[in-house]
Amino acid sequence: MVSRTGRTPAAPEDAYTAEPFLPARGGIEALREAAAGCRGCPLHRDATRTVFGAGNTHARVLLVGEQPGDQEDRQGAPFVGPAGKLLDRALDEAGIDPGDTYTTNAVKHFKFEVVPERGKRRIHKSPSLREMTACKPWLDAEVRLVDPEIIVALGATAGKALLGSSFRVTRQRGILLPYEDRGESLLATIHPSAVLRADDREAVYEGLVSDLRMAARALS
Ligand code: URA
Ligand code: SF4
């Protein structure tokens, strides 16, 4: 079908958005249950399950990663793999109590590819802007319900999801940034897996800890 404007209207299956799956009321548990059935974008098809946020739902610090990885997809919780272990250590060193955190991801399903020459391993693929935008209503609802003092964006995808596509982690990390109408309540830093990939691991890790200290200092 072609509309009056001459463009083919998007079929419902082309409209990427989680919006119709969000519950009208309820807290984090209602959100988590609803998110388990989200089909707001194609990523639910190949992944095992929705990996929703976890942690203290009254936390002062809300951490946002990119998307679940292989381990998170299998276990159903965010940051349970190697990047999560490193993040826990960095938070501890920065003086942020893990019991005072809620952790989630910009995108709630694992996006991957299997390259036959490389075996059966599922290899992480970055989510597209369209998938990030589709999934954003879940993140917005988590921020609203947890109502943290500070949001920590871990890496470029989280930064872009929260602040828009012009976000650059190299320029905007380590300083308190304004977030919506919440004042200076966002701190961006690198993704913990960037430490795992780096040649100079120690220096990159120290940078992560130093950014997280800034978030710790911003807490009342
Ligand atoms: N990387 C992320 O961004 N999120 C996770 O949950 C795990 C690894
Ligand atoms: Fe829904 Fe987000 Fe999963 Fe897409 S990635 S199906 S929007 S929960």
Side-chain angles (χ1 to χ4, degrees):
M1 186 180 74
V2 176
S3 73
R4 271 187 301 117
T5 58
R7 280 195 299 262
T8 308
E13 62 269 24
D14 290 342
Y16 284 23
T17 176
E19 205 70 63
F21 299 92
L22 265 80
R25 60 188 70 79
I28 290 281
E29 278 316 308
L31 273 189
R32 174 196 306 283
E33 279 170 34
C38 185
R39 285 172 280 117
C41 82
L43 294 185
H44 70 91
R45 289 188 201 143
D46 294 333
T48 310
R49 53 175 63 82
T50 306
V51 178
F52 206 67
N56 179 352
T57 56
H58 303 289
R60 289 188 300 169
V61 183
L62 185 148
L63 299 141
V64 185
E66 184 193 54
Q67 61 164 337
D70 179 81
Q71 285 299 316
E72 289 77 18
D73 173 80
R74 291 172 197 276
Q75 298 181 41
F79 283 105
V80 291
K85 302 266 177 308
L86 188 129
L87 177 62
D88 287 346
R89 186 154 67 85
L91 285 168
D92 183 56
E93 241 177 88
I96 295 175
D97 172 7
D100 200 7
T101 64
Y102 176 90
T103 307
T104 192
N105 283 301
V107 169
K108 270 60 173 168
H109 275 102
F110 178 35
K111 183 175 182 179
F112 61 91
E113 62 188 343
V114 178
V115 184
E117 309 80 82
R118 291 169 70 179
K120 288 212 183 88
R121 212 159 63 84
R122 303 184 299 171
I123 298 160
H124 161 280
K125 266 183 98 173
S126 295
S128 68
L129 181 60
R130 226 172 140 204
E131 289 150 355
M132 285 157 60
T133 307
C135 211
K136 183 76 180 335
W138 296 118
L139 182 58
D140 287 340
E142 289 175 293
V143 170
R144 182 169 47 77
L145 288 168
V146 175
D147 191 22
E149 283 180 23
I150 188 137
I151 300 164
V152 177
L154 298 165
T157 298
K160 285 180 201 292
L162 290 157
L163 295 174
S165 56
S166 64
F167 172 82
R168 291 293 175 272
V169 70
T170 44
R171 277 206 303 265
Q172 285 162 283
R173 66 181 288 188
I175 45 173
L176 291 177
L177 302 168
Y179 184 65
E180 296 188 342
D181 56 359
R182 307 170 62 90
E184 298 206 318
S185 62
L186 192 143
L187 188 288
T189 184
I190 54 167
H191 193 284
S193 60
V195 177
L196 299 172
R197 283 194 306 266
D199 294 328
D200 50 346
R201 270 196 195 195
E202 264 323 296
V204 178
Y205 176 74
E206 282 311 319
L208 170 65
V209 172
S210 140
D211 290 346
L212 291 174
R213 281 202 186 100
M214 193 69 178
R217 278 201 292 272
L219 297 174
S220 60

